[in-house]
Amino acid sequence: MDYTKDIQKAIMYIESNLDKNLTLKAISKEVGMSEFHFQRIFKKQLNIGVYKYIQKRRMANASFLLLNSELPIIDIALVSGFSSQEAFSRVFKMYYQLPPRQYRIQFKNFFRRNVKMTDTKIKGWLISGNNFDKYTIALDTNQYHSGNQSVKISQKNSLLTEEFATVMQQVSAKNYLMKRIRISAYLKSDKIEGWGGLWFRIDGKQFEQLKFDNMQDRPIKGTNNWNYYSSVLDVPQEAEVLNFGFLLQGEGTLWADDFCLEIVPEDIETTDFSADYYPPEPQNLSFTE
């Protein structure tokens, strides 16, 4: 059974209540599951426990507040769910290798100096698309799901709806042959007029397409907070290259963070674009109404 929508609903609830007392009971009730079942499904889908995920997001939000606000550290500790600055500092250092005060002093001006980045070289990633030069693609230190930056694609003056840009990778398929693979990431959107999402394509030796999914049947539109998205495909024996990334078509802004490529069990459903696209039998062969 596919629980992707349930997990997305839970993440939306968590994002909206990061500064409140989030309990497993409240979150599982929001998605209509028992606490035990929800906790098991959440960890299976995201490879992280519920409370660990909440802590990770609160630390990311805390790092943002440290660099972009003048709030006292004790106030940031309180909105991050800690009753003391000492406990907050200890956990923050686990994630960012520096205590909050030192992190703020060392990086505040550094990040502000680099908010507007024009260098589109992102280590390990390629930038492509149709008229992608009309898009702004850069690292963004003001918006991120974890760590301290994400990648942003934006376009404000698109005249052609078929224009798109993508940030992508290509890796060898040899370590994943005959396996079920999931590409996942956290995405955030702002005023997308066209659509955006993840995409995943598996090519053969002659670069022929063997498997494909681009989320066009479940697109991201409009404005949405950080949420989890995934694409799952079976890698055939003849596969040569795995291609994956995220794309934006038309106007708007799309951020991506925390990509993951992993082998998953057979009970995770595939999202192969061709799976439901073609009808099982020929239709209307006599051209009747």
Side-chain angles (χ1 to χ4, degrees):
M1 187 173 179
D2 187 4
Y3 291 98
T4 300
K5 290 184 178 179
D6 299 294
I7 296 302
Q8 289 180 340
K9 185 177 181 181
I11 290 174
M12 288 176 65
Y13 181 78
I14 291 171
E15 288 293 324
S16 300
N17 294 278
L18 278 175
D19 59 341
K20 299 181 178 64
N21 181 27
L22 283 165
T23 64
L24 180 62
K25 181 178 181 180
I27 302 169
S28 57
K29 182 179 179 181
E30 181 71 15
V31 296
M33 295 185 191
S34 68
E35 294 178 41
F36 174 79
H37 185 55
F38 170 69
Q39 193 167 222
R40 184 175 63 85
I41 295 301
F42 191 95
K43 189 166 186 178
K44 182 178 180 181
Q45 289 282 333
L46 304 186
N47 291 322
I48 187 173
V50 179
Y51 287 116
K52 193 70 175 177
Y53 175 84
I54 293 171
Q55 185 182 80
K56 179 181 177 182
R57 287 295 297 128
R58 282 174 169 166
M59 289 301 100
N61 189 55
S63 74
F64 178 84
L65 292 174
L66 286 167
L67 300 179
N68 296 277
S69 79
E70 302 301 327
L71 284 173
I73 292 177
I74 182 60
D75 290 349
I76 296 175
L78 292 174
V79 299
S80 299
F82 292 85
S83 58
S84 73
Q85 184 172 324
E86 181 184 3
F88 167 69
S89 296
R90 185 169 59 250
V91 174
F92 186 90
K93 188 176 180 180
M94 287 172 51
Y95 281 86
Y96 291 92
Q97 287 74 58
L98 292 171
R101 183 174 179 275
Q102 187 178 347
Y103 181 87
R104 170 177 265 175
I105 293 171
Q106 188 163 337
F107 291 116
K108 189 167 187 175
N109 292 331
F110 175 84
F111 284 120
R112 282 182 175 174
R113 199 163 54 240
N114 285 279
V115 168
K116 295 182 179 179
M117 299 187 64
T118 57
D119 184 2
T120 56
K121 292 182 180 179
I122 304 169
K123 184 179 178 180
W125 295 85
L126 305 172
I127 297 171
S128 187
N130 173 18
N131 293 329
F132 69 89
D133 57 315
K134 295 183 180 179
Y135 287 75
T136 299
I137 301 173
L139 296 172
D140 190 335
T141 58
N142 275 332
Q143 300 287 344
Y144 43 84
H145 180 260
S146 68
N148 50 36
Q149 61 187 7
S150 65
V151 176
K152 174 179 71 174
I153 304 176
S154 62
Q155 163 64 288
K156 294 183 178 180
N157 299 299
S158 179
L159 299 177
L160 301 174
T161 57
E162 65 269 18
E163 288 181 346
F164 77 95
T166 181
V167 179
M168 60 175 286
Q169 278 200 40
Q170 295 178 307
V171 299
S172 171
K174 65 180 181 180
N175 292 332
Y176 304 98
L177 299 178
M178 304 302 291
K179 304 290 186 181
R180 182 161 291 183
I181 301 298
R182 176 167 62 200
I183 294 291
S184 62
Y186 289 86
L187 303 178
K188 178 178 179 176
S189 64
D190 182 53
K191 300 176 182 177
I192 294 182
E193 297 293 335
W195 65 281
L198 299 176
W199 64 273
F200 185 15
R201 192 184 74 227
I202 302 175
D203 292 341
K205 296 183 184 299
Q206 302 301 318
F207 300 102
E208 71 276 18
Q209 178 179 301
L210 302 177
K211 298 281 185 175
F212 179 62
D213 175 37
N214 67 353
M215 279 186 58
Q216 198 166 359
D217 57 344
R218 53 194 193 285
I220 299 172
K221 297 186 176 187
T223 299
N224 302 275
N225 210 331
W226 288 109
N227 213 328
Y228 174 83
Y229 300 90
S230 64
S231 178
V232 182
L233 296 177
D234 290 324
V235 183
Q237 180 65 47
E238 64 272 25
E240 187 76 10
V241 181
L242 306 182
N243 309 270
F244 63 89
F246 74 109
L247 67 87
L248 172 65
Q249 184 176 53
E251 293 188 17
T253 303
L254 183 65
W255 291 266
D257 198 1
D258 292 331
F259 265 87
C260 179
L261 186 156
E262 58 188 332
I263 298 171
V264 296
E266 295 293 317
D267 61 344
I268 301 293
E269 295 183 14
T270 64
T271 57
D272 192 336
F273 182 72
S274 62
D276 299 313
Y277 184 72
Y278 300 107
E281 299 290 341
Q283 300 180 30
N284 197 21
L285 300 182
S286 299
F287 305 107
T288 59
E289 293 184 358

